[in-house]
Amino acid sequence: MRASAALCAALVGLAACGDSGARTPPAAPAPPSVRSVPVPPAGRFRFTDIAKASGVTAISWCGRPEKPHLLESGGNGIALFDYDQDGDLDLYVVTGWRLAGTEIAERAKNVLYRNRGDGTFEDVTAVAGVGDDGWGTGVATGDIDGDSRPDLFVTNFGPDVLYHNRGDGSFERVAQPPGMDGWSAGAVFFDADGDGDEDLFVCGYIECTLDDVLHAQPTLDWKGHKVMPGPFGLAGKANRYFRNDGGRFVEATESAGLTDVGEFFSFAVAACDFDGDFDLDLYVANDSNPNYLYRNDGSGHFEEIGLWCGAGLSGPGAAQAGMGIGIGDYDGDLLSDILVTNFDEDVSTLYRNTGRLLFRDVTNAAGIREPTYPLLSWGAVFADLDLDGDEDLFIANGHIYPQADLPGTNTTFRQRNLVLENLRESGTARFRDVTADAGPGLGVIEASHGVAAGDIDGDGDIDFAVANVDAAPTLLRNDSPRVGAGGVARNWMMVDAPGALRVVVDAGGRSMARDRVRGGSFCSVSDERFHFGLGAAEKAVRVLVRWPDGRETDLRDVRGGSVVRVERPR
């Protein structure tokens, strides 16, 4: 999980260079410079942790407190999805096992919480039949059989698990699921070949056995302390792709062009139509190796172009410790950009989409360097948190070494999460760290990894569920004021268009685009509806929905403050 110092000299010319804040090994970067940025009104963001009060108390275990094996550092994903289709987002909490010495102290079970719609959640794990007791790492949702109900896939250290949604509040465990046996991490369902069935891509991290984990010893020297070794020196586990043939999954990694040629340490994966050609491409964040970008040719065959497109390495040509992925249009040019989170004393890297599947590292110019440099970052989500029309950033942070709390490390194991405000409304596409003024929920300090975003309480703004290592989740309710300049209330719109690739909304004199993102963050699932802040506008002049077959649904004069349901044309 540490950024690599190899690969740089030979590959630097292949990356699209920009104004990067990333480290160019072996020299350490200069201390972050302080830039002057506009200061937003005080109290513009406010998040409140309601996890305990709402009944969400399940702990996500991850091995032993001392973390002698790399598996114990990975943490877990988390999902927000409407499993019972009652209009409220439910919560699935993934957990690993609790270890003590060389023994398994507890084979903890994943937990499904049903959203009651009144601000509280009910544990329905037993009734729903989704309490897998494998060592869980990540989660993905998708419709495996075309019945319009969300099914549930759990990646494990061990055999992966697939649950089919029966539609009566319960799930059936699929007897022979796709996936892998070993340490798998991120996963994503997406229609790769345009046949209407959702296919599955699964990230593999490293090859290891339970005996390796139970008898591991900290042997790596880090800042004067012995810590867990890896991932260098360990064997990577290859990613796998499964084509859905009418509800039956067939292993098709090589034939689809998705072979993990380097057997890199893959953590997170996201599917998005980056080039606007009506099919979903894949982006994979690799730890300590170049990231992959697989271009889809429309038939379900992919070409890996990460290095030459500029999104495989940092601007100076460094392979970083890719852990999580955030996708959004930060600069309002109607193209989806990519944020990759990385290790501490490095930076999370922002790749600006310049069109034609070319990306440029704009980490410094966008204000990402200063707030992310000291932190070890994981899940990341772009979302309009203050309803002003541009996408802000939430990033989860936490170290992998408990020894970070010991003297001389200059860091801590538990770290603050970040809220970064997008200042584009003020005339510049640049972020400002507003964490300190973002409410009491940001005062919860844990080792946070997975992040899921969605409107948990149905009030039109975006809330967060955050998975914490060896602790219960944080459930951050967005209580941010909805008043802009001159005391004018800010408005919102949610477009529920299952299967759509993109929604463009024209409101308040500007256009805003949201591409469908499957997967992303860190091993987690966010609400897939398209959310827009409208600022002072009371309505959208136009809502344009784009479908995979090239057709469009064009709506005019759509009032804000509601969820707009759009059906796919027949």
Side-chain angles (χ1 to χ4, degrees):
M1 298 179 187
R2 306 184 69 181
S4 172
L7 297 170
C8 300
L11 298 175
V12 65
L14 296 176
C17 295
D19 184 12
S20 170
R23 177 168 55 187
T24 307
S33 60
V34 177
R35 293 174 181 244
S36 176
V37 297
V39 178
R44 184 160 180 166
F45 297 85
R46 182 175 178 83
F47 289 89
T48 306
D49 179 22
I50 60 168
K52 186 175 181 180
S54 65
V56 176
T57 58
I59 294 175
S60 291
W61 295 108
C62 201
R64 293 154 285 206
E66 58 272 21
K67 313 295 183 199
H69 192 275
L70 197 61
L71 175 67
E72 299 171 89
S73 71
N76 317 93
I78 197 165
L80 282 173
F81 72 120
D82 186 5
Y83 86 96
D84 54 1
Q85 298 180 302
D86 65 352
D88 296 314
L89 291 177
D90 310 298
L91 179 68
Y92 192 68
V93 180
V94 180
T95 181
W97 295 349
R98 185 168 61 88
L99 305 181
T102 59
E103 302 296 325
I104 300 170
E106 180 183 357
R107 295 176 184 261
K109 293 184 177 182
N110 302 331
V111 178
L112 176 63
Y113 288 102
R114 185 179 70 84
N115 189 336
R116 293 190 177 105
D118 62 359
T120 65
F121 288 81
E122 173 189 8
D123 184 344
V124 295
T125 311
V127 173
V130 291
D132 175 49
D133 66 352
W135 187 310
T137 54
V139 56
T141 59
D143 182 5
I144 64 172
D145 57 357
D147 62 2
S148 300
R149 294 192 290 264
D151 305 301
L152 191 63
F153 182 76
V154 181
T155 60
N156 285 322
F157 170 59
D160 296 332
V161 176
L162 176 61
Y163 295 104
H164 175 245
N165 192 333
R166 291 191 179 106
D168 61 358
S170 69
F171 292 77
E172 175 186 6
R173 184 165 176 165
V174 175
Q176 293 183 318
M180 60 181 73
D181 188 353
W183 184 357
S184 51
V188 62
F189 284 102
F190 71 117
D191 185 2
D193 48 10
D195 65 353
D197 296 324
E198 292 197 344
D199 312 294
L200 177 67
F201 183 92
V202 184
C203 293
Y205 190 64
I206 65 165
E207 295 279 5
C208 63
T209 67
L210 180 58
D211 190 64
D212 293 335
V213 176
L214 293 177
H215 296 92
Q217 296 294 325
T219 58
L220 177 68
D221 290 314
W222 177 76
K223 296 188 176 184
H225 304 287
K226 292 292 185 182
V227 299
M228 68 181 79
F232 289 125
L234 303 176
K237 189 170 184 65
N239 304 328
R240 298 182 72 186
Y241 165 72
F242 301 87
R243 187 180 65 248
N244 187 340
D245 287 344
R248 182 178 67 93
F249 286 91
V250 178
E251 209 283 336
T253 309
E254 185 174 353
S255 62
L258 290 167
T259 303
D260 183 0
V261 292
E263 293 192 356
F264 294 158
F265 315 114
S266 298
F267 254 148
V269 58
C272 180
D273 182 10
F274 289 110
D275 52 358
D277 64 351
F278 297 97
D279 55 44
L280 291 170
D281 310 297
L282 275 182
Y283 189 84
V284 180
N286 292 319
D287 185 359
S288 306
N289 288 286
N291 302 314
Y292 293 138
L293 197 158
Y294 293 100
R295 178 176 57 190
N296 191 340
D297 69 0
S299 69
H301 188 270
F302 295 80
E303 178 188 8
E304 204 287 299
I305 61 170
L307 290 181
W308 73 253
C309 81
L313 303 171
S314 70
Q320 298 174 279
M323 303 205 185
I325 303 168
I327 296 175
D329 178 16
Y330 91 98
D331 55 356
D333 64 356
L334 308 186
L335 297 172
S336 284
D337 311 298
I338 303 172
L339 179 90
V340 180
T341 58
N342 294 302
F343 212 78
D344 71 337
E345 296 184 352
D346 199 346
V347 294
S348 294
T349 301
L350 179 61
Y351 299 100
R352 179 175 178 263
N353 188 342
T354 62
R356 296 178 299 169
L357 272 179
L358 296 174
F359 292 83
R360 183 186 180 202
D361 180 348
V362 294
T363 303
N364 253 9
I368 300 295
R369 173 182 167 80
E370 286 89 348
T372 63
Y373 177 84
L375 301 171
L376 201 165
S377 301
W378 298 86
V381 176
F382 283 93
D384 187 352
L385 303 180
D386 55 356
L387 308 181
D388 65 350
D390 50 42
E391 293 191 277
D392 310 294
L393 258 175
F394 182 94
I395 302 176
N397 304 293
H399 219 284
I400 63 171
Y401 305 140
Q403 295 83 356
D405 290 333
L406 297 176
T409 66
N410 240 2
T411 186
T412 57
F413 180 64
R414 295 169 180 82
Q415 299 180 349
R416 65 190 176 100
N417 297 324
L418 289 175
V419 175
L420 303 182
E421 182 196 13
N422 192 331
L423 299 173
R424 190 165 63 88
E425 187 188 34
S426 304
T428 176
R430 179 175 169 79
F431 292 92
R432 175 184 183 268
D433 184 0
V434 295
T435 306
D437 299 316
L442 273 298
V444 177
I445 310 296
E446 296 286 354
S448 301
H449 288 213
V451 178
D455 183 6
I456 295 172
D457 51 2
D459 66 352
D461 55 26
I462 297 299
D463 313 295
F464 294 105
V466 183
N468 301 314
V469 173
D470 298 337
T474 310
L475 203 56
L476 296 176
R477 185 182 65 206
N478 190 343
D479 296 328
S480 302
R482 301 193 181 188
V483 179
V488 178
R490 292 197 180 98
N491 208 349
W492 60 275
M493 175 179 291
M494 189 88 74
V495 180
D496 185 7
L501 287 180
R502 157 174 278 220
V503 175
V504 179
V505 167
D506 294 339
R510 62 177 167 179
S511 294
M512 299 167 282
R514 304 286 185 266
D515 285 316
R516 178 171 300 282
V517 178
R518 306 298 302 271
S521 184
F522 174 77
C523 302
S524 297
V525 174
S526 294
D527 184 10
E528 293 184 1
R529 294 176 295 179
F530 302 85
H531 177 264
F532 297 85
L534 302 182
E538 295 183 357
K539 68 177 182 179
V541 176
R542 186 185 194 191
V543 175
L544 186 66
V545 182
R546 189 181 193 191
W547 306 96
D549 60 5
R551 287 187 288 180
E552 296 178 338
T553 301
D554 194 345
L555 307 176
R556 302 299 176 111
D557 295 327
V558 182
R559 293 196 63 80
S562 64
V563 178
V564 181
R565 175 78 178 189
V566 183
E567 298 291 344
R568 186 170 182 168
R570 299 293 181 184

